[in-house]
Amino acid sequence: MLAVDIEEDRQTVAAWVARNRLSVPVVLDPDGAVTRGWQVSGTPTVFVLGRDGRLLGKAVGTRPWTSPAGRGLLEALLAS
């Protein structure tokens, strides 16, 4: 898992990460280049990439990833 923060300064992101006790890597996108390149239209946006780096799926908004249906979807995507 990786968190990308969109067009926020380092201090704002660092405070948010500390407050929320994040334990995943956080990447800054201060000028929005990654956001534009990946066509992120809202947050959260989740990209599922295969082991070969190929885009398998994209979801905008919250999803029940830990539910049986969510886990089944991820397993099916990763098996393809």
Side-chain angles (χ1 to χ4, degrees):
M1 176 185 244
L2 172 74
V4 177
D5 201 51
I6 304 168
E7 298 184 48
E8 294 285 355
D9 63 74
R10 184 175 301 274
Q11 293 78 19
T12 301
V13 174
W16 185 86
V17 168
R19 190 171 51 254
N20 289 281
R21 299 181 179 169
L22 247 54
S23 61
V24 299
V26 176
V27 177
L28 299 178
D29 184 23
D31 64 0
V34 174
T35 302
R36 287 187 301 281
W38 282 85
Q39 300 174 349
V40 174
S41 59
T43 59
T45 298
V46 174
F47 297 92
V48 179
L49 305 176
R51 288 179 178 84
D52 61 358
R54 183 174 49 102
L55 179 64
L56 301 176
K58 175 181 175 180
V60 179
T62 58
R63 298 287 192 276
W65 298 114
T66 59
S67 71
R71 288 181 182 271
L73 173 61
L74 290 173
E75 287 173 7
L77 286 170
L78 294 173
S80 63

